[in-house]
Amino acid sequence: MYINLSKDQIYERNGILDEIMEKLFDMATLVDSQEKIIHVSSSIPKLRKESKNQIIEKNIDYLYDALPFKKVLNTGRAEMGIIEVIHGRKILANIFPIIWEEQTIGALGTILYRNISMLKNILWNITNMDPSLPKDLYDQISRLETSYLFEDFIGNSKIVKDMIVQCESAAISNHPVLILGETGTGKEIISNAIHSSKFYNKLSPFIKINCNAIPEPLLESELFGHVKGAFTGATENKKGKFEIASGGSILLDEIGDMDLRLQSKLLRVLEEKEFERVGDIKLIPLNARIIASTNANLHRLSREGKFRSDLYYRLNTIEIIIPPLRARTEDIPILVEHFIELDQLRVSFTQNAMERLIDYSWPGNVRQLRNILNRLNIIKQEGTIDDQDIHNILYSNIEFPENTTISLHGCSKNTSTDIKIATIEEAEKEAILRALEYCSYNISLTSKILNISRPTLYNKLNKYKINIAPKLTE
Ligand SMILES: Nc1ncnc2c1ncn2[C@@H]1O[C@H](COP(=O)(O)OP(=O)(O)OP(=O)(O)O)[C@@H](O)[C@H]1O
């Protein structure tokens, strides 16, 4: 496969080639036959925090020594489906030779890194349908996952900045990390960014498993693998996610929903750093970083006997709490700007409309904000959104995204019956009680989550006669 363009065409700027490089790929680079960079899409200087002029004319090694541009220039043959890590992101690259009158006059490198997990799902379905495909293809495909960096978690508020600092130090350590936060707050971005930060220049697996989506005992075999004959239907040996994640990280999503028996097994694995496949006695060393996340209140679940407290204390050596959007409403304008660019929306907002967005409580958090912006884009096509549009979409036809919870602890899935509040004061008291419980009665965290100062929180505790002395932690 090659691209048929003349020298004049590859040196022409602001034409169709530039448009394709800009719009169709996350990053694109054009080099001449001497390996010199002719043009790059605007995402590259942005990502590298330098100007386009600092990149143009440099040798391609300046940008990517890991990608086979030179090979493509030498052989005149395309290199496709390259999976690599560039600037901490897992990317999928294709490099095409540009051929004119049978001469290779350059090469175009195209890179995707956003939404490549979508591609993974497609490939995964295809491999499941075709038993003749090699079995290690699964391992290969598992490596293909959108990678996030901390800078992808948009927010300038102090509460976000403090959390990112905490995440950066969590990334360096080898301890398990527990990530808590309501639905749609960005737990997946943060867990993936912790992984990418630890394995910045290394192609290492990030394996995610949703503990509430798979029935037990299937989950056991998904996590630990099994040997042939271990149970009816186990027709061959199968690696589990812990093995596939070897050398990288495993995200145990919705850990709060894990069955008690499996919790015991997981605890043993964390303590002994080894495990066996279902039906086998051979021990396999645990060589994956454990990240667990949930929107459930594990502290409460463990008090109720639904989550093993010893496992909770094992997991929460490093505990990251992602604030709900309503605790950092000052970030809403930059989130809006971010999604307009990311989702290529053609809408703008009046000041009053933006204020309405800021005033709203966002029970579905950032995911809900993104959905609303996309819906507004469809409804209004192009144009300016005013406060009435916001009012209409937020209040006249409330549609909470799946799993949305109003409660801070996020255990309830029933949005309409969860809160029965008569007055603003009752609502405030309720919010404080929930925040306290969510933060295990840690005053500093609770005040951060509620976005009020510690003295104000103490005043409100007095006002509402909430006695937390027996449970107090700082
Ligand atoms: N701070 C953020 N910056 C940019 N995008 C965000 C942020 N937080 C969330 N998002 C976006 O919101 C959506 C939901 O994020 P994510 O899946 O990480 O949430 P989650 O907390 O894991 O949700 P759940 O518990 O329901 O699985 C995604 O589209 C993600 O890109």
Side-chain angles (χ1 to χ4, degrees):
M1 198 181 290
Y2 66 93
I3 300 171
N4 192 222
L5 287 176
S6 71
K7 254 197 181 149
D8 286 350
Q9 284 169 314
I10 65 172
Y11 280 102
E12 184 199 330
R13 294 284 61 88
N14 302 321
I16 187 155
L17 180 60
D18 289 11
E19 184 76 2
I20 290 173
M21 287 176 65
E22 197 61 39
K23 297 280 165 63
L24 293 191
F25 309 101
D26 293 328
M27 293 190 255
T29 306
L30 186 64
V31 295
D32 68 9
S33 57
Q34 305 302 308
E35 305 167 4
K36 223 163 37 180
I37 301 167
I38 303 175
H39 182 61
V40 289
S41 58
S42 59
S43 51
I44 295 180
K46 203 162 149 195
L47 206 74
R48 295 175 58 93
K49 299 186 178 65
E50 55 190 357
S51 75
K52 218 174 223 179
N53 287 342
Q54 284 172 285
I55 299 173
I56 303 300
E57 301 262 304
K58 294 239 163 57
N59 185 282
I60 187 63
D61 282 349
Y62 181 70
L63 286 184
Y64 321 108
D65 50 3
L67 294 183
F69 274 89
K70 293 176 187 176
K71 188 171 170 197
V72 171
L73 290 171
N74 287 334
T75 60
R77 274 203 297 274
E79 291 283 323
M80 311 279 288
I82 308 153
I83 300 173
E84 259 301 340
V85 173
I86 306 254
H87 310 313
R89 289 177 195 278
K90 223 176 259 185
I91 57 107
L92 178 71
N94 292 324
I95 305 172
F96 305 94
I98 300 173
I99 297 188
W100 185 251
E101 293 174 348
E102 294 180 17
Q103 298 283 322
T104 306
I105 61 163
L108 174 67
T110 62
I111 289 180
L112 294 175
Y113 61 82
R114 286 179 186 149
N115 291 329
I116 56 175
S117 48
M118 214 159 66
L119 191 63
K120 171 180 160 171
N121 291 340
I122 297 170
L123 288 172
W124 181 224
N125 286 337
I126 296 172
T127 54
N128 265 345
M129 282 187 302
D130 185 350
S132 67
L133 289 167
K135 291 285 166 280
D136 67 348
L137 207 59
Y138 177 80
D139 285 12
Q140 298 269 3
I141 295 170
S142 302
R143 298 170 357 151
L144 196 62
E145 184 78 55
T146 308
S147 51
Y148 292 105
L149 303 177
F150 290 126
E151 65 202 52
D152 293 311
F153 191 94
I154 306 299
N156 277 336
S157 52
K158 180 162 182 329
I159 190 168
V160 165
K161 285 184 180 156
D162 289 350
M163 182 194 73
I164 297 291
V165 169
Q166 209 195 343
C167 292
E168 280 164 346
S169 49
I172 307 166
S173 107
N174 281 324
H175 291 296
V177 182
L178 180 62
I179 300 173
L180 303 173
E182 292 179 27
T183 183
T185 44
K187 294 189 289 298
E188 187 165 348
I189 299 183
I190 288 296
S191 55
N192 193 286
I194 289 175
H195 164 82
S196 309
S197 170
K198 185 167 177 75
F199 300 98
Y200 193 72
N201 279 321
K202 213 172 132 216
L203 196 53
S204 54
F206 175 77
I207 304 295
K208 182 183 149 187
I209 184 157
N210 189 327
C211 302
N212 78 358
I214 306 171
E216 223 256 328
L218 210 64
L219 181 59
E220 182 177 16
S221 135
E222 277 295 305
L223 285 173
F224 304 105
H226 61 247
V227 288
K228 189 174 169 181
F231 49 83
T232 325
T235 51
E236 53 191 27
N237 292 346
K238 188 182 160 205
K239 277 187 188 176
K241 302 277 189 193
F242 278 104
E243 249 179 292
I244 296 168
S246 189
S249 315
I250 181 164
L251 168 63
L252 304 169
D253 196 14
E254 305 299 354
I255 185 98
D257 294 335
M258 190 182 263
D259 167 81
L260 275 169
R261 192 183 69 86
L262 264 187
Q263 289 178 26
S264 312
K265 191 159 175 181
L266 177 62
L267 178 65
R268 238 185 15 255
V269 174
L270 289 177
E271 277 168 350
E272 288 159 22
K273 308 253 179 315
E274 51 190 15
F275 60 92
E276 62 258 19
R277 289 184 184 177
V278 177
D280 202 3
I281 48 163
K282 197 177 98 200
L283 287 169
I284 301 169
L286 172 70
N287 188 19
R289 171 56 171 310
I290 311 273
I291 306 176
S293 70
T294 183
N295 57 22
N297 183 333
L298 290 188
H299 190 65
R300 200 183 66 186
L301 289 182
S302 68
R303 263 199 337 253
E304 290 169 357
K306 294 178 186 150
F307 198 85
R308 290 187 65 124
S309 49
D310 39 10
L311 176 60
Y312 175 48
Y313 292 119
R314 267 266 158 198
L315 288 172
N316 83 344
T317 325
I318 304 175
E319 187 173 272
I320 310 269
I321 298 180
I322 308 192
L325 187 53
R326 65 185 163 279
R328 56 183 192 102
T329 50
E330 67 268 47
D331 289 335
I332 288 178
I334 52 164
L335 278 162
V336 169
E337 209 181 295
H338 169 73
F339 290 126
I340 287 179
E341 196 197 324
L342 187 68
D343 296 338
Q344 301 190 4
L345 311 180
R346 288 182 301 274
V347 287
S348 57
F349 293 83
T350 64
Q351 182 143 0
N352 282 349
M354 190 59 82
E355 274 160 22
R356 278 225 177 232
L357 290 177
I358 291 172
D359 285 345
Y360 186 59
S361 60
W362 299 110
N365 294 293
V366 183
R367 177 186 290 115
Q368 188 192 7
L369 173 65
R370 187 174 182 178
N371 286 345
I372 292 282
L373 296 179
N374 277 276
R375 278 171 54 197
L376 282 167
N377 189 58
I378 295 167
I379 296 167
K380 287 290 275 196
Q381 306 280 337
E382 286 177 34
T384 306
I385 311 282
D386 60 28
D387 50 339
Q388 193 56 46
D389 296 321
I390 302 288
H391 180 87
N392 292 346
I393 202 156
L394 289 178
Y395 299 102
S396 57
N397 177 22
I398 296 181
E399 255 179 54
F400 291 115
E402 213 188 327
N403 277 351
T404 296
T405 61
I406 282 188
S407 56
L408 259 169
H409 52 71
C411 287
S412 166
K413 295 202 178 196
N414 187 337
T415 48
S416 54
T417 58
D418 199 31
I419 291 184
K420 296 186 192 73
I421 292 162
T423 65
I424 296 281
E425 260 140 6
E426 281 179 28
E428 188 172 69
K429 183 175 175 188
E430 177 79 18
I432 293 171
L433 283 168
R434 287 179 177 191
L436 280 166
E437 195 182 304
Y438 185 77
C439 299
S440 307
Y441 295 87
N442 179 311
I443 289 293
S444 307
L445 271 181
T446 308
S447 58
K448 272 188 192 168
I449 289 273
L450 291 168
N451 207 16
I452 54 178
S453 67
R454 284 162 46 104
T456 309
L457 177 59
Y458 278 117
N459 282 340
K460 290 189 188 290
L461 294 177
N462 269 340
K463 175 177 167 191
Y464 296 123
K465 302 195 173 32
I466 301 173
N467 180 10
I468 57 161
K471 296 170 174 162
L472 207 54
T473 56
E474 278 296 315

